[in-house]
């Protein structure tokens, strides 16, 4: 088993196409089918013709990526696609190697491999720093191999959570991962991660997870809601009957709207049973709305439950909590800001200016 990252464009344009139709790849519309290219030299020559005027280093980089797509991706490989549109990660297994779809009207989607996407909404919060650095690598197609990446990604694939570097080192690697490649083509291994808005968010996210586990996350959420003018009553740690925070307006918290907040700090996805528990708590407490905070995300059934009750319930996953933290941060108490020390810096968002 080999783990590879295959992105769906700079801005994630084909994200939904890839998920809906079971593909990965795309891009590189400047060149036609890769199927005739049986050697690296032939591939390099074709790329030089297709990308005349580009820097030689960039052409070599493109050649390596397309060589990997054409020759190195094999049936059984695990593929990760970090989605730009939702900030989630899809994970699947290759059932079908490279094909070129001449009949596809969109030229940016003709280079394809088949992928059986088995998890399509894994939150980035499920991964620890080293794997997040891998996901933030600058290339579109590469093999993930540093920091026990292949075994750890298999764990995410199987159980939904990255066990971390030291959680995997004591376990044996697969025979396939331990053996060097026998391909005639140089594989494209992961590049050094480059600083981006997403990589900065990921670093903050990891820090927040490490420093606000369990009931600490409930207190952090209460501080965020207080900056919005709400009065919050936090339930004691332990069984809470589906109510972690009772929220109301006014100095006594008796004004409307009244909210019930349920906080789940685990990094695994929650089920529809939790949503139903929140629905029950809204009725029992006489609240008008509910907020479900699910750091590990929601499974499909839970998403459907919330969609069906969207006039009463909202869900914040890890990325939404981070957005709310950034928005509220400067108004939060000093003790909270010391727990999560952030510094604001304005930078030019190069990703949005790539054309």
């Amino acid at each position: 088993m080999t783990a590879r990252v295959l992105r769906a464009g700079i801005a994630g344009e084909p994200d939904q196409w890839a998920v809906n139709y079971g593909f990965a790849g795309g891009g590189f519309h400047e060149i036609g089918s890769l199927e005739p290219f049986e050697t690296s030299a032939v591939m390099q020559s074709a790329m030089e013709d297709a990308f005349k005027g580009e820097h030689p280093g960039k052409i070599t980089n493109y050649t390596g990526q397309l060589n990997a797509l054409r020759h190195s991706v094999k049936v059984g490989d695990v593929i990760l696609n970090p989605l730009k549109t939702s900030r989630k990660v899809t994970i699947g297994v290759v059932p079908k190697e490279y094909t070129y779809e001449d009949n596809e009207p969109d030229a940016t989607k003709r280079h394809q491999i088949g992928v059986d996407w088995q998890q399509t909404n894994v939150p980035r919060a499920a991964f620890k720093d080293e794997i997040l650095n891998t996901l933030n690598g600058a290339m579109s197609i590469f093999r993930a191999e540093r920091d026990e990446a292949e075994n750890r990604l298999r764990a995410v694939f199987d159980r939904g959570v990255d066990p971390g570097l030291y959680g995997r080192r004591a376990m044996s690697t697969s025979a396939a991962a331990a053996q060097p490649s026998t391909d005639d083509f140089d594989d494209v291994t992961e590049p050094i991660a480059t600083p981006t808005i997403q990589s900065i968010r990921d670093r903050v996210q990891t820090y927040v997870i490490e420093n606000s586990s369990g009931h600490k996350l409930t207190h952090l959420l209460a501080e965020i809601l207080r900056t919005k003018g709400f009065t919050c009553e936090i339930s004691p740690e332990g069984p809470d009957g589906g109510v972690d925070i009772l929220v109301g307006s006014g100095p006594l918290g008796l004004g409307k709207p009244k909210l019930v907040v349920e906080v789940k700090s685990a990094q695994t996805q929650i089920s529809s049973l939790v949503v139903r528990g929140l629905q029950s708590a809204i009725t029992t407490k006489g609240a008008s709305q509910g907020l479900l905070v699910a750091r590990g995300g929601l499974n499909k059934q839970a998403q459907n439950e919330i969609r069906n009750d969207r006039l009463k319930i909202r869900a914040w996953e890890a990325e939404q909590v981070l957005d709310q933290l950034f928005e509220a941060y400067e108004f939060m108490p000093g003790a909270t800001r010391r727990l999560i020390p952030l510094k604001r810096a304005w930078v030019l968002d190069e990703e949005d200016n790539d054309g």
Side-chain angles (χ1 to χ4, degrees):
M1 181 275 294
T2 297
R4 300 181 187 277
V5 174
L6 269 77
R7 301 185 195 284
I10 292 175
E13 305 90 335
D15 276 355
Q16 209 54 52
W17 160 78
V19 172
N20 289 347
Y21 295 99
F23 294 111
F28 298 100
H29 64 277
E30 297 88 350
I31 192 164
S33 174
L34 308 177
E35 290 171 344
F37 304 145
E38 296 296 337
T39 68
S40 293
V42 172
M43 175 81 79
Q44 178 79 20
S45 176
M47 295 294 287
E48 288 170 354
D49 289 340
F51 292 95
K52 284 181 179 177
E54 292 283 3
H55 189 280
K58 179 179 285 189
I59 294 174
T60 298
N61 179 289
Y62 288 170
T63 301
Q65 293 185 65
L66 290 180
N67 264 333
L69 187 68
R70 168 66 179 90
H71 294 282
S72 299
V73 178
K74 302 297 183 183
V75 170
D77 283 357
V78 171
I79 302 296
L80 292 91
N81 178 11
L83 302 177
K84 288 278 191 174
T85 49
S86 66
R87 292 177 180 158
K88 298 290 184 68
V89 179
T90 60
I91 306 179
V93 177
V94 175
K96 180 183 177 183
E97 295 172 12
Y98 174 82
T99 60
Y100 184 76
E101 300 297 331
D102 274 309
N103 295 327
E104 168 59 55
D106 185 345
T108 66
K109 298 176 181 176
R110 291 176 183 166
H111 298 290
Q112 300 179 4
I113 61 166
V115 183
D116 177 11
W117 296 115
Q118 299 191 17
Q119 297 192 46
T120 59
N121 64 338
V122 180
R124 297 178 74 93
F127 303 96
K128 300 188 185 301
D129 270 354
E130 304 91 358
I131 300 300
L132 289 172
N133 286 337
T134 291
L135 295 177
N136 291 325
M139 292 190 294
S140 297
I141 304 166
F142 60 89
R143 177 178 176 177
E145 64 173 9
R146 283 200 289 270
D147 298 314
E148 295 285 322
E150 292 185 359
N151 282 327
R152 290 167 62 183
L153 291 171
R154 171 62 75 178
V156 177
F157 181 81
D158 292 337
R159 298 186 293 278
V161 176
D162 174 9
L165 182 59
Y166 299 104
R168 294 301 303 175
R169 273 195 172 155
M171 303 178 71
S172 62
T173 58
S174 67
Q179 295 297 321
S181 172
T182 57
D183 290 340
D184 292 332
F185 296 87
D186 292 333
D187 210 345
V188 181
T189 54
E190 62 185 271
I192 300 298
T194 56
T196 64
I197 297 299
Q198 186 61 61
S199 66
I200 293 168
R201 287 180 62 93
D202 288 341
R203 181 66 191 102
V204 175
Q205 184 75 268
T206 300
Y207 189 91
V208 171
I209 289 171
E210 291 172 349
N211 290 275
S212 61
S213 59
H215 209 52
K216 290 180 181 179
L217 181 60
T218 300
H219 283 272
L220 179 62
L221 264 295
E223 294 291 359
I224 289 173
L225 291 168
R226 287 178 181 130
T227 69
K228 299 178 181 295
F230 290 107
T231 300
C232 298
E233 178 184 334
I234 301 174
S235 299
E237 193 168 359
D240 53 35
V243 180
D244 285 304
I245 312 172
L246 280 173
V247 181
S249 299
L252 299 179
L254 300 177
K256 295 182 178 180
K258 293 182 179 179
L259 314 179
V260 170
V261 182
E262 176 74 352
V263 181
K264 296 296 184 184
S265 64
Q267 289 177 254
T268 51
Q269 293 182 342
I270 64 166
S271 72
S272 58
L273 291 176
V274 176
V275 181
R276 292 170 194 164
L278 178 59
Q279 291 167 332
S280 176
I282 292 172
T283 302
T284 302
K285 299 297 181 180
S288 54
Q289 299 169 352
L291 172 62
L292 176 59
V293 178
R295 174 174 275 167
L298 301 89
N299 66 18
K300 288 184 178 179
Q301 291 77 18
Q303 292 176 37
N304 290 336
E305 287 275 355
I306 289 178
R307 191 176 298 114
N308 292 335
D309 204 9
R310 58 186 176 276
L311 296 181
K312 280 192 174 182
I313 297 179
R314 287 289 183 271
W316 289 354
E317 299 182 40
E319 292 291 339
Q320 286 76 40
V321 172
L322 199 61
D323 289 337
Q324 295 293 332
L325 173 62
F326 290 153
E327 182 180 306
Y329 188 77
E330 61 183 304
F331 306 107
M332 299 177 81
T336 304
R337 286 186 277 119
R338 285 191 292 274
L339 177 67
I340 305 173
L342 303 179
K343 183 185 294 185
R344 172 174 285 180
W346 294 106
V347 296
L348 181 65
D349 189 352
E350 302 285 359
E351 290 180 324
D352 280 352
N353 287 279
D354 285 341

